[in-house]
Amino acid sequence: MPDMTDKLDRFTAKILAEASDERRRAMDEAEQQRQAALRRAEDQVVREAYAYIHGEVARIKAEAGRSVSRRMLEHRRALSLRREEMARETFALVRARIAAFTRTPEYGKRLEALLAAALEKLPGTEEVQVCLREEDREWTDALTRAAPGRKLSFQPGDFRMGGLVALAPGLGLRVDATFDTAAQERSGHFAELFGLSLSDE
């Protein structure tokens, strides 16, 4: 019987060894599957984190861009309003100085110089209509004396700041030497001259 017991012990040992090997293989395979699942999960987490970060960066950039654009627009509006205000203030000062100048004797001399320059642009015209402001009618005699050989007639002008307009009906020519027109022309260049024009820079 001891033979049988030995055989049984060897058989049991062999089965136990095979079972142990099988258990080890199963454990190794389970560990490999666990490691593979862990790698897949880590990869998925990394992809999701990258997608989230990328999305957040894009959102933050867009939000910051909108904020910057909004603030730039606000600053441009404020700058534009200030520039318009500066232009108004400047031209109010110009108008005040011109108004003061038109009440001086030098203004009469300026009118004579403006008439002489206008008559040079109307060569060969004997009859000239001169438009003046109503308050400048006092200068008609001096202007008539300043244009010998020309027949001047005077009529009210539709300008306010001063100066004159000379008309040659026979030639169909008009020379505008008013302060109003000069100021209007200067106002168009005012912003450029003093860096007051808005640009896209």
Side-chain angles (χ1 to χ4, degrees), residues 98-112 114-115 130-144 153-165 177-180:
I98 289 173
F101 174 68
T102 60
R103 292 188 294 271
T104 66
E106 287 78 22
Y107 177 58
K109 293 176 186 167
R110 181 67 181 147
L111 284 176
E112 290 176 19
L114 290 173
L115 178 63
V130 179
C131 302
L132 296 172
R133 299 181 309 161
E134 199 58 47
E135 54 265 52
D136 293 341
R137 301 286 286 175
E138 64 180 284
W139 301 107
T140 57
D141 290 341
L143 291 173
T144 301
S153 60
F154 296 92
Q155 59 189 42
D158 60 352
F159 46 92
R160 295 181 176 179
M161 294 174 70
L164 56 85
V165 173
T178 63
F179 295 164
D180 302 62

Side-chain angles (χ1 to χ4, degrees), residues 37-198:
L38 184 60
R39 283 193 298 274
R40 285 193 302 272
E42 287 174 348
D43 290 347
Q44 180 66 25
V45 167
V46 167
R47 281 194 301 273
E48 288 175 2
Y50 176 78
Y52 175 77
I53 291 168
H54 186 71
E56 283 299 296
V57 167
R59 184 186 63 76
I60 291 167
K61 277 184 180 178
E63 191 175 297
R66 283 191 299 272
S67 177
V68 167
S69 295
R70 188 169 46 253
R71 295 196 78 177
M72 282 180 65
L73 184 61
E74 289 168 4
H75 287 296
R76 282 182 178 220
R77 283 183 188 143
L79 182 60
S80 177
L81 291 173
R82 180 60 185 133
R83 289 173 174 174
E84 288 174 15
E85 182 182 339
M86 288 172 61
R88 282 194 302 273
E89 290 171 0
T90 300
F91 282 101
L93 290 171
V94 168
R95 283 191 294 276
R97 290 191 71 178
I98 289 173
F101 174 68
T102 60
R103 292 188 294 271
T104 66
E106 287 78 22
Y107 177 58
K109 293 176 186 167
R110 181 67 181 147
L111 284 176
E112 290 176 19
L114 290 173
L115 178 63
L119 292 176
E120 285 180 15
K121 295 177 183 175
L122 303 171
T125 306
E126 292 182 13
E127 294 187 16
V128 177
Q129 294 175 356
V130 179
C131 302
L132 296 172
R133 299 181 309 161
E134 199 58 47
E135 54 265 52
D136 293 341
R137 301 286 286 175
E138 64 180 284
W139 301 107
T140 57
D141 290 341
L143 291 173
T144 301
R145 286 192 300 275
R150 303 283 182 110
K151 182 179 177 185
L152 303 183
S153 60
F154 296 92
Q155 59 189 42
D158 60 352
F159 46 92
R160 295 181 176 179
M161 294 174 70
L164 56 85
V165 173
L167 302 166
L171 298 176
L173 296 176
R174 178 181 194 271
V175 178
D176 187 334
T178 63
F179 295 164
D180 302 62
T181 300
Q184 190 174 12
E185 289 172 356
R186 299 296 186 280
S187 71
H189 301 295
F190 181 78
E192 295 171 17
L193 291 172
F194 294 99
L196 298 178
S197 60
L198 288 174

